Amino acid sequence: MTGVFETDVAFLKGVGPQKAELLNKELQIFTYGDLISHFPFRYEDRSSFYKINQLNPNLPHVQVIGRMGKVETQGMGRKKRLVAQFADETGVMELTWFKGIQWVSKKLLPGSVYVAFGKPALFGRKYSMAHPELEPLTQRDKGQNTLQPIYPTTEKLRARFLDSKGISKVMAQLIRQVHAHIQETLPLHIRTQFGLMDKQAAIQQIHFPVNEVSMNKAAYRLKFEEFFFLQLRLLRLKLSRTEKFAGQVLNDTQLLTTFYNSHLPFDLTNAQKRVMKEIYADLKSGKQMNRLIQGDVGSGKTIVAFISLLVAIGSGTQTCLMAPTEILATQHYEGLLPYAKKMGLTISLLTGSTKKSLREKIHQALISGHLKILIGTHALLEDVVAFQNLGLAIIDEQHRFGVAQRAKLWAKNKQHYPHVLVMTATPIPRTLAMTLYGDLDISVIDELPSGRKAIQTVHRYDKDRLKVFGFIRKEIEKGRQVYLVYPLIEESEKSDLKNLMDGYESICRAFPEFPIGILHGNMKSADKEYEMARFVKGETKILVATTVIEVGVNVPNASVMVIENAERFGLSQLHQLRGRVGRGASQSYCILMSKYELSKDSRVRLETMVRTNNGFEIADVDLKLRGPGDLAGTQQSGLTDLTIADLSKDAPILSQARQAAVDLLHADPELVHPHHACIKAQIKRQKKGALNWSRIS
Ligand code: ADP
Ligand code: MG
């Protein structure tokens, strides 16, 4: 029934084996199904016509109706060209060709009326169009297909007559041939509820719209469908998992209560309390938890993590906390060590540089069940790291880890998968979170601990450097510390290092009176630790660093973050870096240094940083600037498979589609109702096409 869409494109009339091979290579189009999903990326309005005396050189591509006059070749050798006179009642213009002269000249019929489409240029006092598209006027069915589809194509395809127009020709052929085979994928009740065009019409109209209204309706329908099935997939995954995987019941709150009453150094914010409750509800539910905590930098995720650990340990299991870098893991370890000591709990740190003897001890303590909290880096994932009973695994800064690693953690407890808590400080817009992490439950810590002063952010140009240095000096004299961050500029680490070193030297010259530290990715981890420790203790006043300090590092006394070449950083990275200050009680500052000439995007980024501290707002702007493809994590999410929907523009459609999917699964979780057979069939087709989806989570 659907077999026709699996037909090799080579069999399509007008394609053939040679063009098919190019379509395979250039556009990954192998089958009829692939081709029909090769959507136009824009349309050209062919509904209006210009008179020759209305032309001006600033116009984009336009169409002119005229009568073909004299056609002749002019010039010699490389300057040889074909020139045709083309006239309407208001004037005369020239059509010119520099290539394919013989072929074109044979086709032009002087005296006939054509529609010429091209970009007008003024030469002397005459307008001309180079290589216009020409169509005899009679061939046109006026009022039909006035929006011409423009398809993505490539140079190689163009050379084989598969330019946009060529593609549109084979597309027309294909649609004529398969139109009747196009299966509806959405049940009538959903189409009615959301005012969606039926699938056959949508495919027809997306390629050959009769007008703008139906083009938009077709696009809406197809985007909705795409989001709908993506959401459905994620939601079903979640559903099947919560049903399939029992979790250990972790409900003992004794440790938690002791900690809360005697050792918690501050009051939790309401947001922290709320998220704690959500986690606790999961832990005691008997179902395996897969929860994401989104919380802006400084919102206090770590303490929430620790309290969760206490529930798990109190209930007789072991726990681990994994961080993406050694610095961060170490800092977590050092931060939690005093709490653990007070609670009488064993805690260890395991990273790539943990000594072998210690490592072996840790392995044993894990197996015996003696070790209750293991903190570390990727090193935790190695097979030799085996627990007696891992109850809760926490991953900090999720965006550095892939889904595969989450899965590896799961496997650490074969009897009962551990509960998994993922923490990220990359705030992403809700719509995107729903899609990216659609298989996770989401908690948001949307409140900063009280008493924090908002970080003041300013943008300064390189010429203001002396003033900036003066400001830094004053802050240090007040007892504060300063980060100075350099971007990774060149491809090679060597020249990055040089950039950083130059910066370091000039800072040393500018501040001879202060101890200054340096930190970068190429340093041995012992050296990194040493430098970091000096800064944490306040021994160094300025830390010159690359983005290794980006994630999670916590030095409350640091009150100034200077970012050099700020125009080179992405928004979310800038926001992360800024989050390294403003962690103590004093007023903090972020100074974005840049050159004077800025691209439009860079300017928007810097202005956004200056305007707001709100991570979600920043994430929104970021998404608009970059599109979702660049966001970390999207690679594995299936988002990059979107063919027509665009997350940065189509968020409202996504919300609707998600709602529809939620409602559907609520009403008919197994999709057994006859009305939903079309949905099942589509899921099956997609499974066939995307085997790697099953790897997700
Ligand atoms: P992040 O969410 O960025 O990981 P952290 O967990 O590192 O933030 O917390 C940042 C700082 O705020 C830490 O010094 C932490 O001790 C402190 N903190 C966390 N929660 C609170 C709170 N409710 N009140 C006061 N300080 C808090
Ligand atoms: Mg953190």
Side-chain angles (χ1 to χ4, degrees), residues 264-270 272 295-304 332 339 396-397 423-425 445 448-450 452 552-554 556 579-580 583-584:
L264 186 63
F266 37 68
D267 289 332
L268 292 185
T269 63
N270 287 327
Q272 284 171 319
D296 212 339
V297 277
S299 61
K301 294 184 289 295
T302 316
I303 200 73
V304 170
H332 273 317
Y339 293 154
D396 195 16
E397 310 297 353
M423 306 195 291
T424 174
I445 306 184
L448 294 183
S450 60
R452 294 269 173 82
V553 176
N554 191 16
R580 297 309 106 210
R583 308 196 134 228

Side-chain angles (χ1 to χ4, degrees), residues 329-549:
T330 307
Q331 192 155 54
H332 273 317
Y333 174 72
E334 283 166 358
L336 296 183
L337 187 61
Y339 293 154
K341 272 192 180 149
K342 280 185 192 144
M343 298 297 300
L345 299 173
T346 43
I347 182 170
S348 291
L349 175 68
L350 181 68
T351 69
S353 50
T354 303
K355 295 229 167 58
K356 200 174 167 217
S357 55
L358 180 55
R359 197 180 277 255
E360 278 163 5
K361 269 195 199 131
I362 290 176
H363 292 165
Q364 272 163 18
L366 280 177
I367 282 286
S368 72
H370 176 68
L371 182 56
K372 298 301 180 193
I373 307 172
L374 179 62
I375 295 185
T377 55
H378 290 85
L380 294 192
L381 294 174
E382 285 168 21
D383 290 334
V384 288
V385 180
F387 295 78
Q388 187 190 60
N389 180 2
L390 177 62
L392 171 63
I394 302 184
I395 308 177
D396 195 16
E397 310 297 353
Q398 141 91 2
H399 63 292
R400 293 284 179 93
F401 292 109
V403 179
Q405 281 144 331
R406 239 202 286 159
K408 266 202 151 173
L409 266 181
W410 278 47
K412 292 280 172 200
N413 190 337
K414 301 255 169 7
Q415 224 142 19
H416 295 279
Y417 286 132
H419 297 281
V420 175
L421 191 61
V422 178
M423 306 195 291
T424 174
T426 314
I428 49 178
R430 232 196 123 60
T431 48
L432 186 59
M434 288 187 319
T435 306
L436 258 184
Y437 305 116
D439 60 327
L440 298 179
D441 292 304
I442 298 177
S443 292
V444 183
I445 306 184
D446 49 6
E447 182 184 356
L448 294 183
S450 60
R452 294 269 173 82
K453 293 199 181 76
I455 302 166
Q456 281 181 27
T457 303
V458 293
H459 174 198
R460 294 284 179 265
Y461 296 109
D462 291 335
K463 67 174 171 52
D464 307 320
R465 188 168 300 276
L466 275 183
K467 271 196 208 145
V468 171
F469 282 3
F471 178 78
I472 290 177
R473 177 166 284 113
K474 276 212 195 97
E475 281 292 302
I476 297 176
E477 282 164 357
K478 278 194 233 162
R480 310 278 140 64
Q481 289 164 279
V482 176
Y483 291 105
L484 217 138
V485 176
Y486 282 84
L488 304 181
I489 291 182
E490 309 288 339
E491 296 288 304
S492 89
E493 287 178 358
K494 253 190 190 160
S495 43
D496 281 339
L497 201 57
K498 177 168 186 310
N499 188 45
L500 180 76
M501 285 305 178
D502 290 350
Y504 177 66
E505 273 167 29
S506 78
I507 293 297
C508 289
R509 274 196 303 277
F511 298 98
E513 71 271 43
F514 300 130
I516 296 169
I518 183 162
L519 193 66
H520 58 80
N522 280 10
M523 286 161 65
K524 286 215 189 81
S525 63
D527 297 341
K528 271 193 256 181
E529 257 162 55
Y530 174 77
E531 282 293 351
M532 198 61 223
R534 286 215 302 159
F535 191 66
V536 171
K537 283 185 232 153
E539 288 170 16
T540 41
K541 298 299 172 189
I542 302 178
L543 185 63
V544 178
T546 57
T547 50
V548 288
I549 62 152

Side-chain angles (χ1 to χ4, degrees), residues 92-372:
V92 183
M93 65 186 291
E94 285 180 357
L95 308 178
T96 54
W97 286 265
F98 304 95
K99 283 182 187 162
I101 291 177
Q102 271 200 324
W103 190 73
V104 176
S105 65
K106 267 189 234 153
K107 297 208 139 191
L108 300 182
L109 297 176
S112 300
V113 177
Y114 290 87
V115 180
F117 177 76
K119 180 154 177 49
L122 189 58
F123 287 107
R125 277 184 300 163
K126 228 180 196 175
Y127 276 94
S128 110
M129 265 182 200
H131 287 256
E133 280 176 29
L134 270 189
E135 247 178 75
L137 184 63
T138 47
Q139 262 185 26
R140 279 193 157 224
D141 188 359
K142 275 211 168 179
Q144 276 257 309
N145 293 345
T146 48
L147 288 170
Q148 187 119 343
I150 306 298
Y151 290 98
T153 180
T154 68
E155 273 316 312
K156 282 189 183 148
L157 285 167
R158 270 190 207 103
R160 284 256 164 204
F161 305 108
L162 284 175
D163 54 2
S164 176
K165 206 158 179 192
I167 292 178
S168 119
K169 257 189 204 152
V170 293
M171 194 67 79
Q173 171 65 29
L174 176 66
I175 289 178
R176 266 197 298 280
Q177 215 166 308
V178 303
H179 190 252
H181 297 274
I182 297 172
Q183 303 272 325
E184 184 52 71
T185 57
L186 296 172
L188 185 63
H189 67 89
I190 291 182
R191 279 184 282 140
T192 314
Q193 186 185 349
F194 293 95
L196 301 172
M197 200 178 237
D198 71 68
K199 176 99 184 213
Q200 287 189 352
I203 291 289
Q204 170 78 41
Q205 291 301 313
I206 198 75
H207 289 292
F208 303 107
V210 290
N211 56 39
E212 213 172 315
V213 174
S214 46
M215 176 200 81
N216 288 331
K217 285 194 100 171
Y220 175 65
R221 144 81 210 217
L222 295 170
K223 289 172 178 184
F224 185 99
E225 175 181 341
E226 193 157 46
F227 280 140
F228 176 80
F229 282 97
L230 182 63
Q231 289 302 315
L232 204 58
R233 214 151 33 177
L234 290 165
L235 289 167
R236 291 182 87 210
L237 203 67
K238 190 157 112 184
L239 215 75
S240 75
R241 191 158 57 198
T242 37
E243 273 163 18
K244 245 193 300 208
F245 303 127
Q248 309 192 61
V249 177
L250 307 180
N251 61 358
D252 191 314
T253 54
Q254 253 186 30
L255 286 180
L256 179 151
T257 312
T258 309
F259 180 72
Y260 211 93
N261 293 339
S262 319
H263 305 301
L264 186 63
F266 37 68
D267 289 332
L268 292 185
T269 63
N270 287 327
Q272 284 171 319
K273 284 181 194 160
R274 190 188 63 239
V275 170
M276 225 21 260
K277 278 188 196 140
E278 288 166 356
I279 294 169
Y280 181 59
D282 282 357
L283 291 177
K284 67 173 187 183
S285 72
K287 289 178 177 165
Q288 192 229 359
M289 170 175 77
N290 272 288
R291 185 170 286 279
L292 174 77
I293 303 182
Q294 272 201 68
D296 212 339
V297 277
S299 61
K301 294 184 289 295
T302 316
I303 200 73
V304 170
F306 184 73
I307 297 174
S308 310
L309 297 182
L310 291 179
V311 177
I313 297 166
S315 309
T317 66
Q318 294 165 290
T319 61
C320 69
L321 169 57
M322 185 164 79
T325 63
E326 195 153 341
I327 292 181
L328 193 54
T330 307
Q331 192 155 54
H332 273 317
Y333 174 72
E334 283 166 358
L336 296 183
L337 187 61
Y339 293 154
K341 272 192 180 149
K342 280 185 192 144
M343 298 297 300
L345 299 173
T346 43
I347 182 170
S348 291
L349 175 68
L350 181 68
T351 69
S353 50
T354 303
K355 295 229 167 58
K356 200 174 167 217
S357 55
L358 180 55
R359 197 180 277 255
E360 278 163 5
K361 269 195 199 131
I362 290 176
H363 292 165
Q364 272 163 18
L366 280 177
I367 282 286
S368 72
H370 176 68
L371 182 56
K372 298 301 180 193

Side-chain angles (χ1 to χ4, degrees), residues 547-576:
T547 50
V548 288
I549 62 152
E550 179 190 343
V551 193
V553 176
N554 191 16
V555 182
N557 191 48
S559 68
V560 183
M561 166 65 65
V562 182
I563 303 176
E564 293 285 346
N565 297 110
E567 75 276 11
R568 292 178 186 267
F569 289 88
L571 252 183
S572 68
Q573 218 178 8
L574 289 172
H575 183 61
Q576 286 286 323

